[in-house]
């Protein structure tokens, strides 16, 4: 009886609250400067929130019910947990696609945090979120054009393909031709992003906070915080355009030796606004399309080296980092000025797309991060601990931080072997990493809570680059670590020179440079020997 009365009381409360909210919504629509947009907000957000609640409750119940009474270390629990992870990932995937926008962005983040979330979620999100995003209709595209430029696409361009060549979480890209015949790529923001972005963020935050309250080990509040900080910048395409120009300018000023190998499409500023971006069209192979890369006369190993060098320069020397380098955002084509070698090979040029998500590392953070990677490459346990603590990992979680950065357990991180960080990509390596991720899940959550958001974005960037490297070479590469070791060490040396101009410091730095060259030479010799061994075994 008491239970029935309680439910009746809740029902009355919900009915009264609904009536009050409906009245407030009607009043807001009537007095709004844009009634149609406000009406759309009030009619779509409750539906999204309802979907969120149903999905969250379904996932939470599935975990509680399915794992109830199963022994913690039993094989049956492991098997059932895998099944629940898979079901839940599919439910979350369905929710992201139905709601779109920020939800897809959240799914993409999860799909790029390999071993920081259960592998079932990573695989499900990665397979779908990058290439199967919802598409806005041509009418919606025209609506954006009218609001931004005052005309429909057919009036602005001599040709405009109404079918997009790509669609992402925030926008889609159409091919067009200017009146002078120049081919361009036009990025058009999805209309619902403008209408519901703020409300969607609030609902996602509510769900994540609620789940954390009931399940303390589920703590992804940092991910919501990151999206709330980065989303406004990503929704402003003029910021993206400025980022692309600044990125290239940094390469020419700070890394001129590779600047001609890095490129970003030129922006047509007169046809670009906060929600429209018109850029030079570039025809290239997607970075994970090895077959096409080879057809272009390029070598996947050389492409992998260029990617590693470009992002190491950004992270350790520029301090201005493209933080979304997944396969859809990286193209490769032959360097325009290069000629074919005798064997028909050409030099690669890396094309950076989607410049909406950048992070700036201040001098101290950049230097400490470079020093940390130098320590990781050269198995320097003292330097790893010292710089991990400086970056916020703490005295107790520095080893875990090193493990997440390298995807290797601590005993491998400090192994003096030259290839100690190389992951072969076999089932044994993968299962070992999954075991560690599962075993230390609460500590991983705590570490992610502690780290500054800029470092969290570096983790995401590392995961993206690791996936790109794997798609090109099928495994991690010692050559990649050689590049990271060289550039991070150079950044540390440059920082020492900037901090002090004394003769003694300069002498110490000179000795550091000699030591660095000797170490790198040793690693290069080891790399040649490993290649020779592999060739002989083949």
């Amino acid at each position: 009886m008491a239970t029935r009365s309680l439910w009746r009381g809740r029902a009355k409360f919900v009915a009264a609250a609904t009536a009050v909210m409906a009245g407030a919504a009607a009043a807001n629509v009537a007095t709004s400067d844009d009634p149609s947009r406000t009406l759309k907000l009030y009619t779509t957000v409750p539906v999204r929130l309802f979907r969120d609640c149903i999905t969250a409750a379904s996932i939470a119940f599935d975990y509680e019910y399915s794992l109830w009474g199963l022994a913690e270390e039993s094989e049956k629990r492991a098997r059932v947990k895998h099944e629940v992870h898979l079901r839940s990932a599919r439910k979350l995937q369905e929710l992201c696609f139905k709601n779109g926008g920020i939800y897809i962005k959240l799914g993409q983040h999860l799909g790029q945090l390999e071993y920081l979330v259960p592998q079932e979620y990573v695989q499900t999100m990665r397979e779908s979120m990058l290439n199967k995003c919802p598409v806005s209709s041509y009418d919606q595209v025209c609506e954006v054009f009218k609001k931004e430029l005052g005309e429909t696409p057919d009036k602005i361009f001599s040709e405009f393909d109404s079918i997009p060549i790509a669609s992402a979480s925030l926008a889609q890209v159409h091919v067009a031709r200017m009146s002078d015949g120049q081919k361009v790529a036009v990025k058009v923001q999805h209309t619902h992003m403008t209408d519901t972005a703020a409300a969607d963020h609030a609902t996602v935050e509510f769900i994540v906070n609620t789940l954390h309250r009931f399940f303390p080990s589920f703590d992804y509040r940092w991910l919501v915080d990151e999206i709330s900080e980065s989303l406004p910048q990503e929704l402003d395409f003029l910021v993206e355009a400025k980022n692309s120009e600044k990125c290239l300018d940094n390469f020419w000023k700070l890394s001129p030796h590779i600047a001609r190998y890095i490129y970003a499409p030129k922006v047509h500023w007169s046809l670009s606004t906060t929600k429209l971006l018109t850029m030079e069209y570039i025809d290239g192979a997607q970075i994970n399309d090895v077959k096409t890369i080879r057809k272009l006369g390029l070598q996947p190993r050389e492409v992998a080296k260029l990617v590693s060098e470009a992002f190491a320069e950004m992270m350790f020397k520029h301090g201005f980092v493209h933080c979304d380098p997944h396969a859809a955002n990286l193209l490769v084509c032959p360097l325009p000025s290069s000629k074919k070698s005798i064997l028909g090979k050409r030099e690669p040029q890396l094309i950076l797309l989607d410049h909406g998500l950048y992070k700036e590392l201040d001098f101290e953070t950049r230097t400490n991060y470079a020093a940390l990677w130098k320590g990781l490459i050269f198995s320097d346990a003292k330097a790893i601990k010292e710089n991990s603590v400086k970056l916020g990992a703490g005295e107790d979680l520095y080893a875990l931080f090193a493990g997440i950065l390298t995807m290797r357990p601590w005993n491998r991180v400090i192994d003096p072997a030259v290839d100690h960080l190389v992951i072969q990509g076999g089932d044994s390596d993968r299962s070992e990493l999954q075991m560690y991720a599962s075993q230390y899940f609460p500590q991983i959550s705590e570490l992610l809570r502690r780290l500054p958001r800029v470092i969290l974005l570096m983790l995401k960037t590392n995961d993206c680059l690791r996936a790109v490297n794997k798609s090109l070479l099928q495994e991690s590469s010692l050559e990649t670590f050689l590049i990271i070791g060289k550039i991070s060490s150079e950044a540390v040396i440059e920082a020492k020179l900037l901090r002090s101009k004394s003769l003694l410091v300069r002498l110490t730095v000179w000795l550091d440079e000699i030591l660095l060259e000797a170490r790198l030479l040793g690693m290069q010799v080891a790399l040649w020997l490993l290649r020779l061994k592999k060739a002989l075994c083949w």
Side-chain angles (χ1 to χ4, degrees), residues 114 126 288 461-472:
E114 195 166 10
R126 187 174 286 177
N288 59 354
T461 303
N462 285 334
D463 284 336
C464 289
L465 294 173
R466 191 178 292 114
V468 166
N469 199 70
K470 185 179 177 183
S471 68
L472 286 166

Side-chain angles (χ1 to χ4, degrees), residues 99-222:
N99 283 354
I102 190 174
Y103 292 85
I104 291 178
K105 179 62 67 174
L106 186 66
Q108 288 176 346
H109 273 278
L110 291 174
Q112 290 161 1
L113 293 173
E114 195 166 10
Y115 305 114
L116 302 185
V117 295
Q119 185 63 20
E120 293 83 356
Y121 286 84
V122 171
Q123 191 169 347
T124 300
M125 298 301 169
R126 187 174 286 177
E127 287 173 354
S128 59
M129 291 294 162
L130 295 181
N131 299 314
K132 299 178 183 177
C133 294
V135 175
S136 293
S137 68
Y138 182 62
D139 287 341
Q140 290 172 317
V141 170
C142 288
E143 183 184 333
V144 176
F145 265 87
K146 285 177 183 177
K147 285 183 178 179
E148 297 300 306
L149 298 177
E151 294 284 0
T152 54
D154 57 297
K155 299 284 179 63
I156 296 171
F157 299 100
S158 60
E159 294 178 26
F160 187 88
D161 192 342
S162 60
I163 300 172
I165 57 169
S167 184
S169 57
L170 308 183
Q172 60 192 44
V173 179
H174 295 259
V175 177
R177 283 194 185 275
M178 308 275 282
S179 56
D180 62 1
Q182 186 179 355
K183 196 174 183 181
V184 292
V186 186
K187 186 173 179 178
V188 186
Q189 194 170 119
H190 295 308
T191 53
H192 66 264
M193 289 307 305
T194 306
D195 297 334
T196 64
D200 283 349
H201 174 263
T203 56
V204 169
E205 185 174 32
F206 170 74
I207 294 296
V208 171
N209 286 338
T210 301
L211 285 172
H212 174 64
R213 194 172 296 116
F214 286 102
F215 307 99
S217 63
F218 182 95
D219 191 0
Y220 288 96
R221 292 173 295 173
W222 57 271

Side-chain angles (χ1 to χ4, degrees), residues 3-17:
T3 305
R4 187 177 299 174
S5 297
L6 180 62
W7 277 108
R8 284 176 180 169
R10 286 181 177 176
K12 288 178 182 177
F13 174 77
V14 170

Side-chain angles (χ1 to χ4, degrees), residues 41-59:
L41 191 65
Y42 278 113
T43 53
T44 57
V45 171
V47 174
R48 286 161 134 73
L49 183 57
F50 179 73
R51 286 193 197 120
D52 291 352
C53 293
I54 293 297
T55 303
S58 173
I59 290 173

Side-chain angles (χ1 to χ4, degrees), residues 284-329:
Q286 199 162 289
I287 201 76
N288 59 354
D289 187 356
V290 176
K291 188 176 180 181
T292 303
I293 287 172
R294 291 187 188 279
K295 281 183 180 178
L296 292 172
L298 306 174
Q299 296 176 290
R301 187 170 295 280
E302 293 302 312
V303 174
K305 283 171 58 180
L306 180 57
V307 172
S308 297
E309 191 170 2
F311 279 86
E313 292 281 340
M314 279 193 262
M315 286 188 281
F316 306 135
K317 292 186 178 180
H318 304 178
F320 187 66
V321 187
H322 186 309
C323 291
D324 205 12
H326 59 71
N329 288 340

Side-chain angles (χ1 to χ4, degrees), residues 44 83 126 129 135 249 357 365 372 385 405 482 488 495 526:
T44 57
E83 292 169 356
R126 187 174 286 177
M129 291 294 162
V135 175
D249 192 48
L357 185 57
T365 302
L372 171 58
K385 179 177 180 180
L405 279 169
L482 264 171
S488 62

